[in-house]
Amino acid sequence: MDDHIHPEPTSFISKYIFSHDHKVIAKQFIFLGLFGLLFGGVMAMIIRWTIAYPGEPFPVLGKLLFSDTNGLLSNDRYAMFFTMHGTIMIFFAITPILIGGFGNFTIPLMIGARDMAFPTLNMLSFWAYFVSVLFLAGSFFVPGGASAGGWVAYPPLASTQFQAGWGHTFWLFAIYFVGASSTMGAINYITTVIRLRAPGMGWFDMPLTIWGLWLTAVLNALFLPVLTGGAILMILDRVAGTHFYTAASLGQKGGDPILWQHLFWIFGHPEVYILILPAWGIVSDLLSFFSRKPAFGYRVTACAMIAITILSALVYGHHMFTTGMSPMLSESFQILTMIISIPAAIFFENWLHTIWHGQIRLATPMLFSLGLVFVFGLGGLSGLYLGSIATDLYLHDTYFVVGHFHLTMAAAVLFGSFAAIYFWFPKMFGRMMNDTLGKIHFWLSVVPLTAVFVGMLIVGYAGHHRRTPSLQAYEYLKPLQQMNVWITVAALSLGAAQVLFIINFFMSLFAGPKAPNNPWGVGTLEWMLPSPPKYYNFEKIPNIYYGPHEYGNPSVKDRDWVGQWEDPKNPGSGGPNAH
Amino acid sequence: MIAGTVDSKRVALAPRAIDARIGMMLFLASWGMVFLTLFFSYAVLRFQAPVWPPADVPPLPTNVKIFAWTNTILMIVSSVFLKNAFGRRLNSPRSIVFVGATMLCGLVFLFLQIETWLELWRPGMYMSDGTYQSLFYLLTGFHALHVAAGLLLFIWTLPGLRALAGIGPRPTADRAIHYEVRAYSVSMFWHFVDVAWLATFAVVYFT
Ligand SMILES: [Cu+2]
């Protein structure tokens, strides 16, 4: 970036629509992501309703959406719904909120930069993403409706044989543009962190949030293109009649459906870390901030995250144990998968040590961070059964898998997103969210959420297949009906609790109390700025003297935190942008 | 970067130029993964076939092989030209001449590539005939798209190169950096396309 400060744009369009400002782009991503969360969430409710109450239309929405089938979700639409639920939640809810949204918002602010390294690319990243949203939304309206081949889109289920319409092709276009958007974002994030850290900020002076986002960007840059490449082959199979994934016969004419599984999971396993690493980073910081203690083993946590990033590229085969791969290969994948538990356990321990003997402040962001630690613990432990071949062969494609990946990718990432929203809302919008409402939202979320996904582990262990719309079709599944009713009741309560969040969000946005510069007493750079920060963030780029978690420093008397920007030779100076 | 904060060593390149190089390298690493994905797919499909090329596919005609070899030479030569264009500062008309020579190589490459496909279509070898044919057209076609993109990008750099060479009004210092960054990024892309062709050539014609 240049040393001069560019003038602030004045027209509405350049300020809020085609904005180059990372803070505005962040908000665009977050609003789109919250909308996706709502959409995918309602779909989940309808899916759960259909399993628990076969033959009863979903209240209100059922009659509106499925008037041709008496308000019931037909089996075809059931498949479409779980496909789109997965796609929307992963690519159009979590990705935009945590990576597009908080990635954009926190990276320049927390490393002391005025904007991203490539602001125009940043804007393009959002608009490529928007094109993707249009394709996905459009796919609902083409003849035959949206894709129903599952979010993993395995051929031949996703081939023209079973997904005849344009719905699945649109899905692939949407994936392609998500890939383009993520690549642009990743290039920007990586370069920005390498180049624009404030003077004095070494790699190990960065907040762990930035570590998580940076490693996510690395994985995004390297592995989303694999999905893009796979999608190109599938688009050609569908529109040009090529034979990459066709299952006619191996050898002369047909391709190999398993090839897609390889490509999908070479991308897909890193993808779960793409989603969870930002949440890990954010929570690693928040646990320290709200325990008023430095993060325990900061460097070790960062290195553990690096180790996981590297390992995540080497384990994809554990999704394919049932495809008949050679035992030597599957055992290698099993061992590598199990090795991931070592760095994972290390930073999990570090989290616990961080809060140990801390002066814990149970504000809403802290509650959600602790919630993440809890549900991620459950999710991680259930993963061990899927990583080892012997148990996976039985559990494969059951609700156990659904429960596991929801605890890790959905529940943990959702809590990470909520923690981030409650934490940075004051900086983003200049107003405080209601803490009491936030706490109620947390408790009304964590209890049913645990019930839903642990319940899924149980029915999955009993053999409930993940894509079965009705238990009544199978004698051996009938006894699981009542359990599924309870899961649905919990799911509906979880969904209802989110209304509190929506109320709190919009109420605070317009009428919340004005936020001070540093409401939480935190020493990272964004909190030295006014809330919300000015267009160019830092009038003068600060020098960095401390790490991100400088608590209980004896040289400062009147408070327990020290800002990263505070000169120890001139204590209490508050730095160049002091209020 | 902010003036006065680069304490270690003064670098000759403008900070923006360094940003752009890092960004471009990341982009090429990322995009290179798409190529690797296609090669990986080729390997997975190819090693499952008992005979390759499959028995019902006639061997590639000799002139197709000649085209491929010619194209390989063209690509290498074009990279050498390009290296020459950017080996010095971009302030002489010579760099425009070398970029022009690079573009000419690319144009002939594209022409021969299209000839290759026509040559194969004539006896009736189509993309939808089988896995072998699908892979052949996929890999050559995907690469050819990059050559075409590279040519368009070169056209995009030409006004800047003219200005840098002193043809017409002199650009401001800020503008000059802008033009250099653009030209250098496009040249990185072209070298990437060159390497991608060598890999495509090796995979398609020799495995
Ligand atoms: Cu995995």
Side-chain angles (χ1 to χ4, degrees), chain A residues 265 268-270 272-273 315-316 318-319:
Chain A
W265 291 116
H269 189 84
V272 304
Y273 291 97
V315 299
Y316 79 93
H318 62 215
H319 297 271

Side-chain angles (χ1 to χ4, degrees), chain A residues 238-501:
Chain A
R238 295 177 64 83
V239 301
T242 52
H243 296 279
F244 298 116
Y245 306 130
T246 47
S249 66
L250 294 179
Q252 308 298 311
K253 183 100 176 167
D256 181 9
I258 302 288
L259 170 62
W260 168 263
Q261 295 194 25
H262 282 290
L263 300 183
F264 188 86
W265 291 116
I266 289 174
F267 146 79
H269 189 84
E271 172 69 8
V272 304
Y273 291 97
I274 287 171
L275 300 174
I276 193 74
L277 273 164
W280 281 348
I282 288 167
V283 162
S284 305
D285 276 338
L286 295 195
L287 288 176
S288 154
F289 296 158
F290 288 91
S291 305
R292 318 307 294 170
K293 261 181 70 189
F296 183 88
Y298 164 90
R299 273 166 193 257
V300 180
T301 306
C303 290
M305 294 208 289
I306 297 171
I308 287 185
T309 304
I310 295 166
L311 281 171
S312 76
L314 308 170
V315 299
Y316 79 93
H318 62 215
H319 297 271
M320 298 169 65
F321 286 154
T322 57
T323 56
M325 63 165 72
S326 90
M328 197 184 71
L329 211 53
S330 49
E331 273 167 33
S332 316
F333 279 125
Q334 169 183 258
I335 292 165
L336 283 164
T337 303
M338 292 300 158
I339 290 175
I340 286 197
S341 14
I342 298 169
I346 287 173
F347 70 73
F348 206 87
E349 282 297 303
N350 282 352
W351 287 347
L352 300 180
H353 277 289
T354 301
I355 52 179
W356 183 254
H357 281 198
Q359 284 178 305
I360 295 175
R361 294 183 186 172
L362 287 177
T364 313
M366 181 59 163
L367 284 178
F368 276 102
S369 304
L370 292 171
L372 182 147
V373 174
F374 172 62
V375 294
F376 188 77
L378 290 176
L381 288 176
S382 60
L384 295 174
Y385 302 95
L386 298 171
S388 51
I389 302 163
T391 36
D392 179 71
L393 292 181
Y394 170 70
L395 294 168
H396 186 83
D397 263 357
T398 66
Y399 252 97
F400 193 90
V401 179
V402 180
H404 161 70
F405 72 69
H406 276 87
L407 280 168
T408 47
M409 274 162 71
V413 176
L414 186 72
F415 278 7
S417 307
F418 280 136
I421 291 173
Y422 282 105
F423 182 70
W424 276 296
F425 189 93
K427 191 52 69 187
M428 230 174 217
F429 299 105
R431 291 178 188 275
M432 299 300 290
M433 284 183 89
N434 186 311
D435 201 44
T436 316
L437 217 50
K439 281 175 180 158
I440 301 172
H441 171 220
F442 171 73
W443 287 110
L444 291 185
S445 294
V446 70
V447 176
L449 182 135
T450 312
V452 170
F453 298 124
V454 173
M456 286 182 180
L457 293 179
I458 296 168
V459 294
Y461 186 67
H464 189 169
H465 185 270
R466 66 188 283 195
R467 285 174 178 174
T468 306
S470 167
L471 294 153
Q472 299 309 314
Y474 304 94
E475 201 54 44
Y476 80 104
L477 288 180
K478 279 182 185 167
L480 298 178
Q481 185 67 35
Q482 194 52 40
M483 184 78 196
N484 270 291
V485 170
W486 282 111
I487 295 175
T488 297
V489 169
L492 293 172
S493 349
L494 175 64
Q498 304 319 306
V499 174
L500 287 179
F501 171 75

Side-chain angles (χ1 to χ4, degrees), chain A residues 29-50:
Chain A
F29 269 117
I30 287 174
F31 280 115
L32 252 171
L34 288 173
F35 190 72
L37 198 61
L38 181 71
F39 214 69
V42 170
M43 291 181 119
M45 298 299 121
I46 297 175
I47 292 169
R48 280 312 311 174
W49 181 276
T50 308

Side-chain angles (χ1 to χ4, degrees), chain A residues 1 3 114 118 183 187 190-191 195 221-222 225-226 233 236 241-244 250 252-256 259 263 541, chain B residues 1-3 15 18-19 22-23 26-27 30 33-34 37 40-41 45 48 54 56 127-129 131 134-135 138:
Chain A
M1 206 171 3
D3 43 359
R114 291 198 175 122
F118 312 112
T183 304
I187 290 169
I190 299 172
T191 313
R195 296 280 296 151
L222 291 178
V226 180
L233 301 193
L236 286 173
T242 52
H243 296 279
F244 298 116
L250 294 179
Q252 308 298 311
K253 183 100 176 167
D256 181 9
L259 170 62
L263 300 183
I541 301 292
Chain B
M1 253 297 154
I2 308 311
I18 302 173
D19 290 355
I22 294 175
L26 290 167
F27 167 71
S30 178
M33 286 299 283
V34 180
T37 303
F40 176 84
S41 307
L45 294 170
Q48 287 181 35
D56 61 337
M127 202 172 190
S128 52
D129 285 351
T131 305
S134 299
L135 285 168
L138 169 80

